[in-house]
């Protein structure tokens, strides 16, 4: 006499066979990537290869080489940062020229007779410094139509960082060359910031004008 399998047990056996059949053709179970493997797969910065590339960079902006070791672009508007970089670069290009020219050409008088830029700055009266600050503030206010903060400077989406419409020699008239000129300005500005810092520290630590190490030009 054949013993019949209870319905509940027969159902359990069928589910077990179906489960085994489904797993027989499936691949290995995917594991979530560990923190170490996630860092290994991350894209690293082109200019600082031991740091992970900031997520906001690499979008085609001129001069973008992934250099943002402090990750400022993660929480500050990228356009505002570019505007700041361009303005500092332009100021330092003028500053480097001014520091060198001052060694040879001076206004004279008790406040403006020193060829050393640091000494000259320390001798400048507070009222003169105040005039410079006010004048710069007026220019900044006018060129930005009163929008000078990170929150409202680029409220107009068409505004291009650093574009003040100042091109008296019409270098940027040819649109095909404009991108190359913008990159050159940016790179010269970056170099000028480093150069200005170097000239300033030389004047502080040696007490001499920028070109004094070049003895034929030493007028100090």
């Amino acid at each position: 006499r054949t013993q019949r399998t209870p319905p509940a047990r027969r159902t359990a056996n069928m589910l077990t066979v179906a489960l085994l059949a489904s797993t027989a053709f499936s691949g290995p179970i995917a594991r979530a990537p560990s923190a170490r493997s996630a860092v290994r797969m991350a894209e690293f910065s082109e200019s600082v290869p031991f740091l992970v590339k900031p997520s906001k960079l690499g979008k085609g902006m001129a001069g973008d080489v992934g250099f943002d070791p402090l990750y400022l672009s993660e929480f500050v508007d990228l356009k505002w940062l570019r505007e700041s970089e361009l303005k500092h670069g332009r100021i330092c290009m003028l500053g480097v020229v001014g520091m060198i020219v001052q060694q040879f050409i001076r206004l004279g008088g008790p406040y403006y007779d020193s060829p050393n830029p640091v000494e000259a700055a320390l001798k400048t009266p507070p009222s003169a410094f105040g005039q410079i600050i006010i004048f710069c503030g007026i220019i900044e206010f006018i060129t930005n139509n009163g929008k000078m903060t990170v929150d409202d400077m680029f409220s107009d989406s068409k505004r291009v960082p650093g574009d003040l419409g100042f091109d008296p020699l019409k270098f940027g008239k040819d649109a095909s060359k404009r991108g190359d000129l913008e990159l050159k300005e940016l790179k010269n500005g970056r170099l000028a910031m480093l150069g200005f810092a170097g000239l300033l520290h030389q004047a502080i630590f040696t007490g001499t004008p920028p070109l004094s190490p070049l003895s034929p030009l030493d007028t100090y």
Side-chain angles (χ1 to χ4, degrees):
R1 183 177 180 182
T2 304
Q3 185 176 2
R4 299 183 63 183
T5 304
R9 186 174 180 181
R10 188 164 55 248
T11 302
N13 290 339
M14 292 175 64
L15 291 175
T16 302
V17 172
L19 179 62
L20 291 174
S22 64
T23 57
F25 297 98
S26 63
I29 299 175
R31 296 181 178 179
S34 62
R36 181 177 298 178
S37 62
V39 172
R40 192 181 300 116
M41 292 187 300
E43 185 179 359
F44 286 89
S45 170
E46 177 184 349
S47 57
V48 192
F50 54 85
L51 292 179
V52 176
K53 179 180 178 181
S55 60
K56 300 293 181 64
L57 300 184
K59 309 298 183 184
M61 182 175 282
D64 181 2
V65 292
F67 183 79
D68 185 14
L70 299 180
Y71 295 94
L72 297 176
S73 60
E74 296 294 326
F75 53 89
V76 181
D77 184 10
L78 196 58
K79 287 185 175 181
W80 193 85
L81 292 173
R82 172 50 57 89
E83 177 92 6
S84 178
E85 181 182 25
L86 283 170
K87 285 185 177 179
H88 280 82
R90 290 165 180 172
I91 290 171
C92 285
M93 283 190 278
L94 293 172
V96 168
V97 174
M99 293 177 76
I100 295 174
V101 169
Q102 181 178 326
Q103 183 172 345
F104 304 98
I105 302 174
R106 294 179 292 279
L107 297 177
Y111 299 116
Y112 311 107
D113 61 343
S114 175
N116 185 331
V118 175
E119 185 179 63
L122 294 176
K123 293 173 66 174
T124 302
S127 57
F129 265 122
Q131 292 175 20
I132 294 173
I133 294 174
I134 292 173
F135 179 71
C136 292
I138 292 173
I139 293 178
E140 187 78 2
F141 185 86
I142 294 174
T143 55
N144 289 288
N145 296 320
K147 299 177 180 179
M148 299 187 292
T149 69
V150 67
D151 296 321
D152 61 5
M153 183 175 286
F154 292 94
S155 56
D156 181 4
S157 59
K158 296 182 180 179
R159 190 185 185 289
V160 179
D163 186 2
L164 304 178
F166 181 78
D167 186 14
L169 300 180
K170 307 298 180 182
F171 286 131
K173 187 176 182 180
D174 187 350
S176 63
K177 297 180 180 179
R178 189 174 181 85
D180 183 59
L181 292 172
E182 290 177 352
L183 181 60
K184 288 179 179 179
E185 181 191 25
L186 187 65
K187 288 186 174 181
N188 279 281
R190 291 170 176 173
L191 182 61
M193 285 188 277
L194 294 174
F196 182 83
L199 293 175
L200 181 63
H201 282 79
Q202 175 192 310
I204 292 173
F205 288 109
T206 67
T208 59
L211 299 182
S212 60
L214 305 176
S215 55
L217 299 176
D218 189 0
T219 60
Y220 188 62

